[in-house]
Amino acid sequence: MHILVTSLERGFALEDRRDAVPAAHSAHSSSTSGSSTSSATADSNPGVRIVPDAIGLAQLVSERERSATPGDPIRWVWNSQDIVPRLLAHGVRVGRCHDLRLTGRILITAGYLDARFDVADARGGAHPGEGLFDLDAENPGTVAATRELFEAQLAAIEAADQGGTRKGALAFLVGAESAGTLVAAELRASGMPFSVERHERVLVDVLGSRRAGGRPAKLEAAASSVRAALGEQTLNVDSPKDLLAALRRAGLDVASTSKWELWGKEHPVVEALLHYKRLHRLFTANGWTWRDEWIHGGRFRPDYVPGGVVTGRWATSGGGAMQLPKEIRSAVVADPGWKLIVADAAQLEPRILAAMSGDEAMARAGAQRDMYTAFVDRGVVPDRDSAKVAMLGAMYGATTGQSAVLLPGLERVYPRAMGLVASAARSGERGQQVHTWLGRTSPWPPAEFSPRDFGRFTRNFIVQGTAAEWALTWMAGIRQRLAKLGVVTGGATGAVVDAPLEQTAHLAYFLHDEVVVHAPAEVAERAAVEVVAAAAEAGRLLFSGSQVTFPVVAHVVDSYGDAK
DNA sequence: CAAGTCTGCCAC
DNA sequence: AAACGTGGCAGACTTG
């Protein structure tokens, strides 16, 4: 059963759809069908209900979720960005949804859906200028417009999947993308446990004590060391321009002040400056100011942005969540009586390439626990480090350096895999679109573009984007599996809605190919098993028949810093 | 002086 | 002044 929800400032409208699979409809003749449905009102359409606020909606959603059964599941249709966080604020979780905004973006980028259905424009298909998600109780025509948008999306997905090589891939992608919105909202709602005390220990150890209005002692000392090494007592170390000039006066042949350029240069200032840079970075990016802004109530709550990257990867907004340096991960600590499960997928992108290319030889390597070691055993590369560099170079489009040297070896042994990324690169160079495994489509190049650069982009897009699809599938599976572990501190088990986030094992952090789960200690080992199992299941769901495996290393620890 | 751009570094 | 993909962010620097 589909249940369509539109939101507004003062309340919500909700419409039941009893037909799980809509009958054939005229998604592309909205100008006529729209006029006939736009007059629908709550009175004339008994399927439409209007609730005054988020609490009312939460109650309704909760009731419907409880009534759902495995044989009669509910799929909520909405802009989850607007609605899910408000439901979570009232303690209500849902099982499945269809996100209109992210689905629309996928379909429109691919050219499967007319751009006039773009939710981002906040216009209903048949009602230009009318806010899709700005429903007014006196203007329930918006419900009809939203329903029309949904049906147009379903029709576009159906048509694309019929024409695609793998039936149902796009529908699966839309489901995974939508599930991602639920995961993202729950990640933010639950947050990652973070110990201010442990963080303080790191800062004091590395930087010295916090000093009101000033810089900590060790940071100042490091700056002084740089000035001393350069013999320039008044140098402003934080000014790249001044620093570069000072370095050159000291006889260093450098064109910038960056680490890679300093590295290896013979001069006493190098070590001092690299040390200062490390301290300065910690101070500015993850120091006291960062903590005051982002850590509240023992939780780090970054704002995850599903689909925030063109490839389908997530982005985050605020707090630098996806750059959390290893240096401060020791401050991520489980609550008393709880554990963290830190899990990361081993060599995810090479495995993705092996699976999606159907390269038998690479798939055999991908069936091994350590794919890179399998490359070495095969005699493709001399050592494991070379294997890693070569694979990354192949997926990024390296043309020089060590990885480029190793490429011919890879091409000889793994022709189909290398051929796939080379083909994607050629498409980009010609200004064409490419597709991930599940059918996410790359954007068109800008009017002025460098063929070489855009080729490298599309080369990487297919692998990075498919890896993101695997990760979405993995997390959606983890979410479902953790919910089944049930409520430990009381209440019923089973239905998602009955497992409040704060009381049961939940996802706490995500980083492309890595997750952190926060779980009561008594279910931590079981949660770790589920995380590993969800990875294997994600592999089967995406690449049924492939021998490539997706091993996950899961550590049950008290602190993120204790994992590897 | 606010807004935009550049530099450099963190993550994958 | 990066080579070799995707990002976010702080602080310096530039511009209107």
Side-chain angles (χ1 to χ4, degrees), chain A residues 334-341 482 485-490 500-507 517-528 556-558:
Chain A
D335 286 352
W338 288 58
K339 291 283 185 182
L340 297 176
I341 296 98
L482 293 183
L485 290 181
V487 180
V488 171
T489 54
L501 272 176
E502 312 76 34
Q503 295 175 27
T504 189
H506 56 82
L507 282 158
V517 169
H518 193 207
E522 52 266 45
V523 298
E525 290 294 343
R526 287 168 61 200
V556 178
V557 292
D558 292 313

Side-chain angles (χ1 to χ4, degrees), chain A residues 4-19:
Chain A
L4 186 140
V5 181
T6 61
S7 65
L8 69 161
E9 290 301 317
R10 300 183 298 283
F12 299 83
L14 172 147
E15 180 198 15
D16 268 19
R17 292 177 53 82
R18 285 180 177 69
D19 51 328

Side-chain angles (χ1 to χ4, degrees), chain A residues 370-460:
Chain A
D370 185 340
M371 198 172 172
Y372 293 142
T373 301
F375 282 17
V376 180
D377 295 343
R378 185 79 197 276
V380 184
V381 287
D383 53 63
R384 195 177 179 283
D385 276 353
S386 298
K388 187 173 180 177
V389 167
M391 273 307 294
L392 291 176
M395 293 183 294
Y396 291 167
T399 54
T400 62
Q402 189 193 357
S403 62
V405 173
L406 296 163
L407 275 184
L410 282 186
E411 285 164 353
R412 178 173 49 79
V413 184
Y414 307 123
R416 284 191 68 178
M418 294 300 112
L420 182 68
V421 287
S423 167
R426 283 196 299 273
S427 294
E429 288 162 5
R430 289 193 294 261
Q432 297 170 340
Q433 292 181 307
V434 295
H435 310 277
T436 60
W437 181 249
L438 291 181
R440 191 188 302 270
T441 304
S442 62
W444 293 103
E448 297 286 328
F449 73 102
S450 150
R452 277 171 58 87
D453 289 351
F454 202 71
R456 279 195 294 271
F457 163 65
T458 51
R459 168 192 292 269
N460 187 251

Side-chain angles (χ1 to χ4, degrees), chain A residues 111-168:
Chain A
Y112 301 145
L113 183 68
D114 194 290
R116 69 197 167 87
F117 286 106
D118 192 351
V119 179
D121 290 349
R123 280 186 279 109
H127 313 281
E130 185 175 272
L132 247 192
F133 299 101
D134 188 24
L135 179 75
D136 187 304
E138 283 88 51
N139 184 17
T142 312
V143 174
T146 308
R147 188 180 65 210
E148 190 180 336
L149 168 65
F150 175 50
E151 292 182 350
Q153 290 189 352
L154 288 183
I157 293 165
E158 174 74 11
D161 267 337
Q162 285 304 314
T165 51
R166 282 183 311 284
K167 305 297 177 217

Side-chain angles (χ1 to χ4, degrees), chain A residues 35-110:
Chain A
S35 61
S36 64
T37 53
S38 62
S39 61
T41 66
D43 289 338
S44 68
N45 186 344
V48 175
R49 295 181 60 178
I50 293 177
V51 292
D53 50 29
I55 298 174
L57 182 71
Q59 287 170 344
L60 259 175
V61 170
S62 179
E63 284 170 21
R64 299 302 168 88
E65 281 286 336
R66 282 168 200 280
S67 72
T69 63
D72 183 24
I74 289 176
R75 181 162 61 156
W76 300 92
V77 181
W78 54 31
N79 179 353
S80 49
Q81 187 184 34
D82 295 345
I83 297 175
V84 175
R86 287 192 258 183
L87 295 178
L88 287 172
H90 295 289
V92 174
R93 301 171 72 188
V94 302
R96 296 175 66 207
C97 76
H98 171 103
D99 185 87
L100 292 164
R101 185 179 58 92
L102 293 179
T103 300
R105 191 192 294 171
I106 290 170
L107 297 175
I108 291 169
T109 300

